[in-house]
Amino acid sequence: MTGTAQPTGRCYCGCGREIGYGRYFAAGHDKTAEAAFLAIHHQASVAQMLHAHGYGPDDTKSVTKAAVDKGLWEECPFGCGYRGARESINNHITRRHQEK
Ligand SMILES: [Zn+2]
Ligand SMILES: [Zn+2]
């Protein structure tokens, strides 16, 4: 396998369903595929998956910190320790740090 997955018009979970152009999954099937993958490879455990890739509870092994370090995620500018994708950060700030 090389390159990145390309949408083909059929659901990537392998159910055979035809889906709209440019999509990878029928609604909700990404979660189904993810659960099956975890069951096969990581004892159905996200913790086992993270451990297998070298991530863990230590700050030096934090997967969310790694995402920030790679420039994919951001850290909450209010310094509360929250990390997430830009849209998640924006939602988080609105919910947690802005007075009504
Ligand atoms: Zn499917
Ligand atoms: Zn915050």
Side-chain angles (χ1 to χ4, degrees), residues 4-32:
T4 54
Q6 298 297 325
T8 66
R10 284 191 305 138
C11 181
Y12 256 77
C13 91
C15 66
R17 192 170 300 190
E18 305 267 338
I19 51 175
Y21 178 79
R23 297 176 58 212
Y24 291 98
F25 290 103
H29 288 206
D30 54 335
K31 293 295 170 199
T32 309

Side-chain angles (χ1 to χ4, degrees), residues 28-93:
H29 288 206
D30 54 335
K31 293 295 170 199
T32 309
E34 184 178 35
F37 180 88
L38 279 179
I40 294 164
H41 295 286
H42 301 294
Q43 295 111 64
S45 162
V46 173
Q48 297 301 335
M49 176 186 73
L50 292 174
H51 179 79
H53 288 267
Y55 300 109
D58 298 342
D59 194 53
T60 53
K61 295 180 175 180
S62 165
V63 68
T64 57
K65 188 171 186 297
V68 172
D69 289 347
K70 286 178 188 295
L72 302 168
W73 274 22
E74 293 175 18
E75 208 143 339
C76 175
F78 291 86
C80 72
Y82 181 91
R83 298 172 181 132
R86 183 177 310 243
E87 313 81 66
S88 304
I89 291 281
N90 290 341
N91 288 336
H92 162 81
I93 290 171

